[in-house]
Amino acid sequence: MKINKSTQQGIYVLLMLALQQGHTPLKSQLISQRLAVSDSYLKKILRKLVLAGLVDSSASKDGGFSLKQPITEISLFDVSDAVEQVGTLQMPPMELAQRLFPGDEQHIRQSEQVALQAFERANMAFNEKLKRVTLDQLLEADSFQTGVVDWQSMS
């Protein structure tokens, strides 16, 4: 399974917000500069994080983006599902089997079920592992309670 760069960027956005001193909101432009990514691309990721209820957005002069939930409650699954919708594995029909084994529909259906069930179990196990890792585990202990970095003052 390939994890998209969007998920990685979503994780780092949330870590930045958790570490922001006083948990003051950060503008997307500042975040995109720190991550060295396109602001327009980052805004798409931020929008998905807002829709998933992980981030708040405020358009005021002093606004920006801030965490909506404690970092201790946001898992790798939450981020990847918000950004990439990886929660459900989509397996296309095994139409090649019908070409290779014409006339053996019952065997093809059984084989498809075996393969589909194996992929579904693997996907469930993968998601369960991601749900067990919260983002605070990626940070130094006690670094996120009040925030220890002022991203705005760094040049």
Side-chain angles (χ1 to χ4, degrees), residues 61-129:
K61 178 183 176 247
D62 296 325
F65 294 90
S66 58
L67 289 178
K68 187 170 186 172
Q69 296 181 26
I71 198 77
T72 55
E73 296 176 14
I74 302 173
S75 70
L76 291 174
F77 175 82
D78 295 329
V79 181
S80 62
D81 193 45
V83 175
E84 295 186 57
Q85 290 80 38
V86 297
T88 313
L89 181 67
Q90 303 264 333
M91 186 171 159
M94 298 180 144
E95 51 201 38
L96 294 178
Q98 295 171 358
R99 293 184 192 159
L100 287 175
F101 309 109
D104 200 355
E105 294 295 320
Q106 182 179 357
H107 176 72
I108 291 171
R109 279 194 303 278
Q110 289 173 343
S111 295
E112 285 177 341
Q113 277 304 112
V114 168
L116 186 59
Q117 288 172 356
F119 280 109
E120 286 174 351
R121 284 192 300 274
N123 187 57
M124 286 174 28
F126 177 75
N127 289 342
E128 286 305 313
K129 291 284 186 188

